[in-house]
Amino acid sequence: MYKNVLQSMTDVAIWPVISFIIFFAFFITLLVYVFLVDKKFIQYMKSLPMDDETPKSSTETVNHHV
Amino acid sequence: MEIEKFSYDNKIVKAFMIATVIFGLVGMLVGLTAAIQLFYPVFNFSDSPVGQFVSFGRIRPLHTNAIIFAFVGNAMFAGVYYSMQRLLKARMLSDTLSWIHFWGWQLIILAAAITLPLGITTSKEYAELEWPIDIAIALVWVVFGINMIGTIIKRRERHMYVAIWFYIATFVTVAVLHIVNSFEMPVSLFKSYSWYAGVQDALVQWWYGHNAVAFFLTTPFLGIMYYFLPKAANRPVYSYRLSIIHFWALIFIYIWAGPHHLLYSTLPDWAQSLGVVFSIMLIAPSWGGMLNGLMTLRGAWDRVREDAVLKFMVVAITAYGMATLEGPLLSLKNVNAIAHFTDWIVAHVHVGGLGWNGFLIFAVLYWTVPRMWNTKLYSSKLANIHFWLGTLGIIFYALPMYVSGVTQSLMWKEFNPEGFLVYKNFLETTVQILPLHGLRAMGGLLYFTGTVIMTYNLMKTAYAGSFIANEPAEAAPLAKNYVVKTGGWHYRLLEHKPLLFTVLALVAILIGGIIELVPTFLIKSNVPTIASVKPYTPLELQGRDIYIREGCVSCHSQLIRPFRSETERYGEYSKSGEFVYDHPFLWGSKRTGPDLHRIGGKYSNTWHYNHMLAPDAVSTGSIMPAYPWLFEQSIDKGSTGAKISALRTVGVPYPEGYEENANADLEKQAETIAASLKNDGIEVSSDTEIIAIIAYLQRLGTDIKAEKVAVNK
């Protein structure tokens, strides 16, 4: 039985603690990272999709009629 | 730094978009057909020569595969190829790879469209395609990955926008899921057996199935949302910080939630609980993403009134929020006890499919086509009509399915004061919900009509404009020795290093996958064996393969949950040990008809014979299609030996050399069944397929009745 497997493990109580630490560390790191990140950098990243337009005036446009 | 001139490849985007629209129409039409078959069984065309290729069991996987992999898949590639080039300021790595990817994917779709109606299927949901196609999928996916990672490496924009993160996670995770779930032992070119059996197969399948929803239908479209929504709204995303949390939390948590598809099954309880807990946790990142999307429109809501693109996006994002709240609620055991196996789940996936994926795809098409053809949309009025038809379609689809699901479930569970089931005959619960199925088909028809209108509108738009095959662009290449000037290097670590990023994303999804799967495989006692459970006889095995071919699993579960309402109706609840020779498992996910796990011995051979020939004549009002071809086609005895050998390889204890005399046993058992039918006045050759399927059905669930259960505790 699964219960026996757990009983036969030494220091089985450490596993839930490790699991908790993994999750706690993952999300705390994420939050700390997100709150400390440079504001200018965030603004820059935010604007990435906004300034990828190609000027429509370009004469090099290759036009194909479909 | 010198500015480089280059161009974006619009031609590949155009190709994927055309494929999206064509396969969208096809997939929806097939779905509509399947919906109609459920209340007008005559549309199974059972008695016509094509009957066996278009019956519900074969049409249903065709619909799901067409929508997921052809419609949504092609749309994903179109969206990724369009946005990725522009976000990275680079043309795709190689045009050749792009086209290999495109044609490879279309060939896979073609192969699916041929093999599924032919009944060539593994029966594992959303992974039905047989092993040669699985290999082709893996190869084409790798081509896509090389093309994508290569483009990222040669990019001119140093920072990877969050959309690119979602694309990377999609590529990595789908690769892992597809490979692990596709381990199978080939019998022939068109037949294989899953490497895993029973409860293990179920766990791998739903780890795959759930994350296919997560990483094929969700993450790539979140990337697409984070790119196209700011473009369409003409304002940057509400909170980039929130999008970072959205990404990491989502991919870290999603991968754990698969077991919620197997609640009350024979999966170990700890794994079921794990699935529930992580499903509830998923609400946080999902709603973070939804709010981030909707808040991006702050100050632009006046434009939502006029702009069809924004309308579609608002409904898509709302549907994402609704489906990702509903999903966790459905994974609570008490809610799941009611909803599982019913139309409620069908409603749930269609809120996601029609609302989130469909509407986001329509928005992207309406937004990009005029730009790529350098013109204006032909008719915004038609686009608005499409929007309303689509929205009404979703409502007419989902509401009847919710009512139907709850109605049927409550009928299944209703006891009278004497303690007997009120609706002892399953068929009563089926007939009750047929009008709702009619309404659902009407919803589907509305949605399909909207898509036809969109197709017309987009074609008129394209004809009016002139296609920009190569859109010129210019940007400076990345500096070789880049020094971060502000903010500190560690804040930009991830956005600069695509390979490190890919590895971290892989680690995030592997942690959950490994913890979930490994114990069920390594700890033998997780699947208690039952001494009286024996491998299938050769005839039963052939019958089981016919059951798989006909897609019976689409409508019939083989899993009796430990509820009184189910043990009263079907018999003893299912045990893990009963499935140890089931390659693949056939638990199913929907009960359009009753569960079949304890069908063995319940009816006579003659009953099954007549029932398969004319279900409606045996059970008046039955919506099950007839299977007349089973009475004409012969059992494929040539394959028996190879099947026995293949199953022995994956662990079924057939004795060495048994493949040589398996057919002798097969014939002996077939003669017995034919003789019993003859006693009832039915003359039938013992070679016909109906004999095999009767043998299989009569075996189902009977092993533990043979002797007292000897559970290995």
Side-chain angles (χ1 to χ4, degrees):
Chain A
M1 266 312 275
Y2 191 64
K3 233 186 267 170
N4 302 337
V5 175
L6 286 180
Q7 278 163 0
S8 65
M9 285 161 73
T10 44
D11 299 326
V12 67
I14 198 76
W15 290 101
V17 177
I18 292 176
S19 314
F20 175 72
I21 290 172
I22 292 177
F23 273 81
F24 195 72
F26 180 87
F27 285 101
I28 292 296
T29 314
L30 189 58
L31 285 176
V32 169
Y33 171 83
V34 158
F35 283 110
L36 291 186
V37 70
D38 185 27
K39 201 166 182 178
K40 260 189 263 169
F41 175 63
I42 286 288
Q43 285 307 325
Y44 176 77
M45 292 304 288
K46 256 184 157 178
S47 69
L48 276 179
M50 307 313 295
D51 52 32
D52 62 2
E53 293 290 319
T54 312
K56 285 275 179 255
S57 59
S58 171
T59 49
E60 288 164 82
T61 307
V62 187
N63 285 351
H64 291 293
H65 286 278
V66 285
Chain B
M1 188 58 62
E2 201 177 322
I3 302 286
E4 290 179 343
K5 286 188 185 297
F6 58 99
S7 65
Y8 298 130
D9 183 1
N10 277 348
K11 235 173 132 179
I12 188 72
V13 180
K14 172 184 164 187
F16 275 120
M17 281 181 173
I18 292 171
T20 302
V21 174
I22 292 173
F23 289 122
L25 291 170
V26 173
M28 287 172 208
L29 202 56
V30 175
L32 188 56
T33 311
I36 293 171
Q37 286 175 334
L38 285 177
F39 59 93
Y40 283 141
V42 61
F43 283 94
N44 284 287
F45 303 108
S46 301
D47 294 320
S48 78
V50 296
Q52 65 172 315
F53 309 115
V54 297
S55 82
F56 182 83
R58 301 202 189 177
I59 283 287
R60 193 253 175 188
L62 188 68
H63 164 62
T64 52
N65 277 276
I67 290 298
I68 297 172
F69 299 109
F71 172 55
V72 179
N74 276 313
M76 173 213 302
F77 299 135
V80 169
Y81 276 44
Y82 186 92
S83 60
M84 178 170 259
Q85 297 187 79
R86 285 158 177 84
L87 282 170
L88 298 174
K89 298 226 173 349
R91 195 179 173 90
M92 294 306 292
L93 173 69
S94 150
D95 284 11
T96 314
L97 285 182
S98 299
W99 288 105
I100 293 175
H101 174 203
F102 176 78
W103 286 112
W105 197 255
Q106 310 316 315
L107 281 176
I108 288 164
I109 293 168
L110 182 69
I114 293 170
T115 56
L116 292 174
L118 287 175
I120 297 166
T121 170
T122 67
S123 87
K124 289 171 77 162
E125 279 183 83
Y126 325 125
E128 286 93 347
L129 304 176
E130 265 299 351
W131 68 273
I133 310 177
D134 280 343
I135 293 174
I137 293 172
L139 294 176
V140 173
W141 195 257
V142 168
V143 169
F144 168 53
I146 294 172
N147 208 10
M148 175 161 88
I149 304 282
T151 311
I152 296 174
I153 288 172
K154 64 159 216 180
R155 70 196 186 279
R156 295 186 182 80
E157 166 56 56
R158 187 168 300 275
H159 303 284
M160 292 191 297
Y161 183 66
V162 70
I164 307 290
W165 305 7
F166 278 106
Y167 302 155
I168 293 175
T170 301
F171 165 67
V172 171
T173 315
V174 171
V176 172
L177 294 169
H178 174 68
I179 290 169
V180 173
N181 192 43
S182 298
F183 277 140
E184 49 215 357
M185 185 68 210
V187 175
S188 66
L189 189 58
F190 299 117
K191 176 73 191 166
S192 67
Y193 291 119
S194 173
W195 195 265
Y196 320 102
V199 63
Q200 294 171 341
D201 196 36
L203 179 60
V204 174
Q205 159 60 26
W206 283 112
W207 169 77
Y208 162 88
H210 174 74
N211 289 301
V213 174
F215 289 89
F216 202 90
L217 302 177
T218 308
T219 54
F221 286 87
L222 288 171
I224 285 170
M225 175 188 92
Y226 276 120
Y227 176 78
F228 287 96
L229 178 66
K231 301 291 282 187
N234 200 23
R235 54 193 65 225
V237 63
Y238 169 65
S239 164
Y240 194 77
R241 286 188 169 92
L242 185 52
S243 71
I244 297 174
I245 297 178
H246 183 196
F247 174 80
W248 285 106
L250 197 79
I251 70 160
F252 188 62
I253 297 175
Y254 231 129
I255 202 87
W256 299 72
H260 69 209
H261 290 258
L262 299 170
L263 299 181
Y264 293 109
S265 76
T266 76
L267 187 74
D269 267 352
W270 65 265
Q272 296 188 26
S273 304
L274 203 64
V276 174
V277 171
F278 279 89
S279 303
I280 298 300
M281 285 164 69
L282 263 178
I283 297 176
S286 303
W287 272 53
M290 174 193 70
L291 292 173
N292 210 3
L294 291 179
M295 293 294 275
T296 300
L297 290 166
R298 76 201 183 290
W301 284 97
D302 54 314
R303 285 186 44 221
V304 176
R305 265 210 309 265
E306 281 112 45
D307 188 350
V309 170
L310 289 180
K311 281 185 202 179
F312 275 111
M313 282 182 169
V314 168
V315 172
I317 295 165
T318 310
Y320 172 65
M322 293 301 109
T324 55
L325 175 66
E326 188 186 22
L329 295 182
L330 284 169
S331 69
L332 291 170
K333 285 185 105 171
N334 52 348
V335 181
N336 194 273
I338 300 168
H340 196 51
F341 291 135
T342 75
D343 283 333
W344 186 340
I345 308 303
V346 183
H348 169 63
V349 299
H350 282 84
V351 167
L354 301 170
W356 164 240
N357 290 118
F359 269 33
L360 194 59
I361 291 168
F362 300 148
V364 168
L365 290 172
Y366 281 124
W367 189 82
T368 43
V369 167
R371 279 167 181 77
M372 283 168 51
W373 271 265
N374 199 14
T375 180
K376 279 197 155 43
L377 186 66
Y378 169 69
S379 163
S380 53
K381 196 173 170 193
L382 283 181
N384 278 312
I385 292 173
H386 175 200
F387 171 78
W388 283 109
L389 282 176
T391 305
L392 282 173
I394 296 172
I395 293 169
F396 268 98
Y397 191 108
L399 290 184
M401 287 290 94
Y402 285 122
V403 176
S404 163
V406 175
T407 303
Q408 195 176 27
S409 185
L410 294 179
M411 288 176 84
W412 290 344
K413 289 171 189 292
E414 191 166 343
F415 283 96
N416 61 23
E418 287 74 41
F420 295 108
L421 287 168
V422 175
Y423 306 99
K424 180 76 185 149
N425 184 358
F426 187 95
L427 190 55
E428 288 179 77
T429 73
T430 308
V431 174
Q432 181 75 26
I433 58 174
L434 292 188
L436 296 162
H437 278 227
L439 278 176
R440 177 266 289 268
M442 204 182 89
L445 180 66
L446 287 173
Y447 194 88
F448 175 72
T449 310
T451 313
V452 173
I453 292 174
M454 175 194 75
T455 309
Y456 172 76
N457 201 356
L458 292 180
M459 281 171 73
K460 287 297 254 185
T461 307
Y463 282 124
S466 61
F467 181 60
I468 308 166
N470 297 291
E471 194 176 314
E474 48 188 41
L478 294 187
K480 286 272 181 289
N481 306 308
Y482 177 71
V483 184
V484 177
K485 294 177 192 84
T486 54
W489 63 271
H490 48 287
Y491 293 129
R492 301 178 177 188
L493 179 72
L494 294 175
E495 287 80 357
H496 287 185
K497 306 222 186 272
L499 292 179
L500 174 73
F501 187 93
T502 307
V503 171
L504 285 177
L506 182 65
V507 169
I509 62 129
L510 280 182
I511 294 177
I514 289 170
I515 294 181
E516 212 175 84
L517 297 183
V518 169
T520 310
F521 283 86
L522 291 189
I523 303 171
K524 213 167 179 284
S525 56
N526 263 339
V527 186
T529 50
I530 301 171
S532 60
V533 173
K534 298 278 185 282
Y536 295 103
T537 67
L539 185 66
E540 291 156 6
L541 187 62
Q542 292 287 11
R544 190 171 200 268
D545 286 339
I546 294 169
Y547 186 97
I548 290 172
R549 184 186 76 194
E550 299 306 337
C552 304
V553 71
S554 296
C555 294
H556 295 283
S557 58
Q558 288 186 16
L559 182 86
I560 300 163
R561 296 178 291 177
F563 300 145
R564 197 176 145 246
S565 61
E566 300 213 350
T567 53
E568 271 301 293
R569 186 182 297 279
Y570 304 116
E572 177 98 23
Y573 65 88
S574 306
K575 321 276 189 296
S576 290
E578 294 184 80
F579 303 106
V580 289
Y581 304 128
D582 281 13
H583 297 265
F585 81 116
L586 290 172
W587 292 358
S589 60
K590 174 75 173 63
R591 282 182 188 152
T592 302
D595 187 278
L596 297 183
H597 190 208
R598 302 271 177 238
I599 195 76
K602 192 171 174 186
Y603 301 106
S604 67
N605 291 343
T606 305
W607 186 92
H608 281 296
Y609 184 95
N610 291 328
H611 183 247
M612 298 296 286
L613 193 58
D616 190 34
V618 177
S619 314
T620 310
S622 170
I623 57 167
M624 183 168 129
Y627 291 86
W629 55 91
L630 297 182
F631 298 76
E632 290 154 16
Q633 292 169 185
S634 300
I635 301 167
D636 176 22
K637 288 189 208 165
S639 66
T640 313
K643 285 180 174 176
I644 298 283
S645 304
L647 282 172
R648 191 192 301 116
T649 313
V650 294
V652 181
Y654 289 112
E656 283 296 333
Y658 183 61
E659 56 271 28
E660 304 298 330
N661 18 10
N663 267 334
D665 281 359
L666 183 153
E667 280 156 19
K668 219 163 83 188
Q669 193 184 0
E671 291 295 343
T672 322
I673 293 173
S676 89
L677 290 171
K678 200 173 176 189
N679 279 343
D680 288 341
I682 297 168
E683 286 284 353
V684 59
S685 155
S686 62
D687 275 349
T688 45
E689 291 185 332
I690 184 68
I691 301 288
I693 200 144
I694 290 176
Y696 173 62
L697 292 172
Q698 295 291 28
R699 169 70 183 272
L700 271 177
T702 55
D703 280 7
I704 64 164
K705 292 179 190 163
E707 46 183 282
K708 193 72 194 154
V709 184
V711 181
N712 169 22
K713 279 206 170 165

Short mmCIF file of all heavy atoms in Angstrom, two decimals, chain B residues 37-42 44 56 427 430-431 433-434 437 555 592-593 615-616 619-626:
data_model
loop_
_atom_site.label_atom_id
_atom_site.label_comp_id
_atom_site.label_asym_id
_atom_site.label_seq_id
_atom_site.Cartn_x
_atom_site.Cartn_y
_atom_site.Cartn_z
N GLN B 37 -27.05 14.23 -35.69
CA GLN B 37 -27.14 12.76 -35.53
C GLN B 37 -27.67 12.38 -34.16
O GLN B 37 -28.29 11.33 -33.98
CB GLN B 37 -25.76 12.13 -35.75
CG GLN B 37 -25.33 12.11 -37.21
CD GLN B 37 -23.91 11.59 -37.38
OE1 GLN B 37 -23.09 11.68 -36.46
NE2 GLN B 37 -23.62 11.05 -38.55
N LEU B 38 -27.41 13.23 -33.17
CA LEU B 38 -27.80 12.89 -31.81
C LEU B 38 -29.30 12.98 -31.56
O LEU B 38 -29.80 12.43 -30.59
CB LEU B 38 -27.04 13.75 -30.80
CG LEU B 38 -25.57 13.36 -30.59
CD1 LEU B 38 -24.88 14.31 -29.64
CD2 LEU B 38 -25.46 11.93 -30.07
N PHE B 39 -30.03 13.73 -32.40
CA PHE B 39 -31.49 13.69 -32.22
C PHE B 39 -32.22 13.17 -33.46
O PHE B 39 -33.39 12.81 -33.38
CB PHE B 39 -32.04 15.05 -31.76
CG PHE B 39 -31.77 16.21 -32.69
CD1 PHE B 39 -32.67 16.57 -33.65
CD2 PHE B 39 -30.58 16.93 -32.56
CE1 PHE B 39 -32.42 17.64 -34.49
CE2 PHE B 39 -30.33 18.01 -33.40
CZ PHE B 39 -31.24 18.36 -34.38
N TYR B 40 -31.55 13.11 -34.60
CA TYR B 40 -32.08 12.43 -35.78
C TYR B 40 -31.11 11.34 -36.19
O TYR B 40 -30.27 11.55 -37.08
CB TYR B 40 -32.26 13.40 -36.95
CG TYR B 40 -33.45 14.31 -36.86
CD1 TYR B 40 -33.37 15.63 -37.27
CD2 TYR B 40 -34.68 13.83 -36.41
CE1 TYR B 40 -34.47 16.48 -37.21
CE2 TYR B 40 -35.78 14.69 -36.33
CZ TYR B 40 -35.67 16.00 -36.74
OH TYR B 40 -36.76 16.83 -36.67
N PRO B 41 -31.17 10.16 -35.54
CA PRO B 41 -30.17 9.12 -35.82
C PRO B 41 -30.13 8.72 -37.29
O PRO B 41 -29.13 8.15 -37.74
CB PRO B 41 -30.61 7.94 -34.96
CG PRO B 41 -31.59 8.48 -33.98
CD PRO B 41 -32.16 9.74 -34.53
N VAL B 42 -31.19 9.05 -38.04
CA VAL B 42 -31.22 8.68 -39.45
C VAL B 42 -30.04 9.33 -40.19
O VAL B 42 -29.56 8.81 -41.20
CB VAL B 42 -32.59 9.06 -40.08
CG1 VAL B 42 -32.81 10.56 -40.01
CG2 VAL B 42 -32.69 8.57 -41.51
N ASN B 44 -27.14 9.26 -39.40
CA ASN B 44 -25.95 8.41 -39.38
C ASN B 44 -25.83 7.64 -40.69
O ASN B 44 -24.79 7.04 -40.96
CB ASN B 44 -26.03 7.40 -38.23
CG ASN B 44 -25.75 8.06 -36.90
OD1 ASN B 44 -24.62 8.39 -36.59
ND2 ASN B 44 -26.79 8.25 -36.10
N PHE B 56 -21.78 8.33 -35.99
CA PHE B 56 -21.37 9.30 -34.97
C PHE B 56 -20.00 8.98 -34.37
O PHE B 56 -19.17 9.87 -34.18
CB PHE B 56 -22.43 9.36 -33.86
CG PHE B 56 -22.09 10.37 -32.80
CD1 PHE B 56 -22.40 11.71 -32.97
CD2 PHE B 56 -21.45 9.98 -31.63
CE1 PHE B 56 -22.07 12.64 -32.00
CE2 PHE B 56 -21.11 10.92 -30.65
CZ PHE B 56 -21.43 12.25 -30.84
N LEU B 427 -32.54 4.92 -21.15
CA LEU B 427 -33.08 5.56 -22.35
C LEU B 427 -34.04 6.71 -22.02
O LEU B 427 -34.08 7.71 -22.73
CB LEU B 427 -33.77 4.50 -23.20
CG LEU B 427 -34.20 4.93 -24.61
CD1 LEU B 427 -33.02 5.48 -25.38
CD2 LEU B 427 -34.79 3.75 -25.35
N THR B 430 -32.24 9.81 -21.83
CA THR B 430 -31.74 10.28 -23.12
C THR B 430 -32.85 10.98 -23.89
O THR B 430 -32.65 12.07 -24.45
CB THR B 430 -31.23 9.09 -23.95
OG1 THR B 430 -30.30 8.35 -23.17
CG2 THR B 430 -30.56 9.56 -25.22
N VAL B 431 -34.02 10.35 -23.91
CA VAL B 431 -35.14 10.90 -24.67
C VAL B 431 -35.52 12.27 -24.12
O VAL B 431 -35.86 13.20 -24.86
CB VAL B 431 -36.33 9.92 -24.62
CG1 VAL B 431 -37.56 10.53 -25.28
CG2 VAL B 431 -35.96 8.61 -25.29
N ILE B 433 -33.76 14.68 -23.03
CA ILE B 433 -32.92 15.84 -23.37
C ILE B 433 -32.83 16.07 -24.89
O ILE B 433 -32.15 17.00 -25.33
CB ILE B 433 -31.48 15.67 -22.80
CG1 ILE B 433 -30.84 14.40 -23.31
CG2 ILE B 433 -31.50 15.73 -21.29
CD1 ILE B 433 -29.38 14.25 -22.91
N LEU B 434 -33.53 15.27 -25.69
CA LEU B 434 -33.40 15.43 -27.14
C LEU B 434 -33.82 16.82 -27.65
O LEU B 434 -33.14 17.37 -28.53
CB LEU B 434 -34.15 14.31 -27.89
CG LEU B 434 -33.53 12.92 -27.73
CD1 LEU B 434 -34.21 11.92 -28.65
CD2 LEU B 434 -32.02 12.94 -28.00
N HIS B 437 -31.01 19.04 -27.38
CA HIS B 437 -30.00 18.78 -28.41
C HIS B 437 -30.38 19.46 -29.72
O HIS B 437 -29.53 19.92 -30.47
CB HIS B 437 -29.82 17.27 -28.61
CG HIS B 437 -28.92 16.66 -27.59
ND1 HIS B 437 -27.91 15.80 -27.90
CD2 HIS B 437 -28.85 16.83 -26.25
CE1 HIS B 437 -27.27 15.45 -26.79
NE2 HIS B 437 -27.83 16.07 -25.78
N CYS B 555 -19.58 7.56 -26.74
CA CYS B 555 -20.89 7.66 -26.09
C CYS B 555 -21.03 6.75 -24.86
O CYS B 555 -21.98 6.90 -24.10
CB CYS B 555 -22.00 7.30 -27.06
SG CYS B 555 -22.18 8.47 -28.40
N THR B 592 -23.54 9.34 -23.48
CA THR B 592 -24.74 9.59 -24.28
C THR B 592 -25.63 8.36 -24.15
O THR B 592 -26.85 8.45 -24.13
CB THR B 592 -24.35 9.87 -25.74
OG1 THR B 592 -23.46 10.99 -25.75
CG2 THR B 592 -25.56 10.19 -26.59
N GLY B 593 -24.95 7.20 -24.05
CA GLY B 593 -25.64 5.96 -23.72
C GLY B 593 -25.14 5.50 -22.36
O GLY B 593 -24.29 6.15 -21.75
N PRO B 615 -31.02 -0.86 -33.28
CA PRO B 615 -31.16 -0.46 -31.87
C PRO B 615 -32.57 0.03 -31.55
O PRO B 615 -33.11 -0.28 -30.48
CB PRO B 615 -30.14 0.68 -31.71
CG PRO B 615 -29.17 0.49 -32.82
CD PRO B 615 -29.92 -0.15 -33.94
N ASP B 616 -33.16 0.74 -32.49
CA ASP B 616 -34.46 1.34 -32.25
C ASP B 616 -35.56 0.28 -32.12
O ASP B 616 -36.54 0.45 -31.42
CB ASP B 616 -34.80 2.31 -33.40
CG ASP B 616 -36.02 3.13 -33.10
OD1 ASP B 616 -36.22 3.45 -31.91
OD2 ASP B 616 -36.78 3.42 -34.03
N SER B 619 -34.80 -1.18 -28.42
CA SER B 619 -35.11 -0.17 -27.41
C SER B 619 -35.78 0.99 -28.13
O SER B 619 -35.11 1.82 -28.75
CB SER B 619 -33.84 0.34 -26.73
OG SER B 619 -33.02 -0.74 -26.38
N THR B 620 -37.09 1.04 -28.04
CA THR B 620 -37.83 2.07 -28.78
C THR B 620 -37.37 3.46 -28.36
O THR B 620 -37.30 3.75 -27.17
CB THR B 620 -39.34 1.92 -28.53
OG1 THR B 620 -39.67 0.55 -28.76
CG2 THR B 620 -40.15 2.81 -29.46
N GLY B 621 -37.05 4.30 -29.36
CA GLY B 621 -36.61 5.66 -29.07
C GLY B 621 -35.11 5.79 -28.96
O GLY B 621 -34.59 6.90 -28.79
N SER B 622 -34.38 4.67 -29.08
CA SER B 622 -32.93 4.73 -28.97
C SER B 622 -32.34 5.60 -30.08
O SER B 622 -32.82 5.57 -31.22
CB SER B 622 -32.33 3.32 -29.06
OG SER B 622 -30.93 3.40 -29.18
N ILE B 623 -31.31 6.36 -29.75
CA ILE B 623 -30.67 7.20 -30.77
C ILE B 623 -29.36 6.57 -31.24
O ILE B 623 -28.60 7.18 -31.97
CB ILE B 623 -30.41 8.63 -30.26
CG1 ILE B 623 -29.57 8.60 -28.98
CG2 ILE B 623 -31.72 9.35 -30.03
CD1 ILE B 623 -29.02 9.97 -28.61
N MET B 624 -29.10 5.34 -30.80
CA MET B 624 -27.85 4.70 -31.22
C MET B 624 -27.92 4.35 -32.70
O MET B 624 -28.95 3.89 -33.18
CB MET B 624 -27.63 3.43 -30.39
CG MET B 624 -26.32 2.73 -30.70
SD MET B 624 -25.95 1.45 -29.49
CE MET B 624 -25.61 0.07 -30.56
N PRO B 625 -26.82 4.60 -33.46
CA PRO B 625 -26.83 4.20 -34.85
C PRO B 625 -26.85 2.67 -34.97
O PRO B 625 -26.39 1.97 -34.06
CB PRO B 625 -25.53 4.76 -35.43
CG PRO B 625 -24.79 5.37 -34.31
CD PRO B 625 -25.56 5.20 -33.05
N ALA B 626 -27.34 2.17 -36.11
CA ALA B 626 -27.26 0.73 -36.38
C ALA B 626 -25.89 0.43 -36.97
O ALA B 626 -25.22 1.32 -37.50
CB ALA B 626 -28.35 0.34 -37.35
#
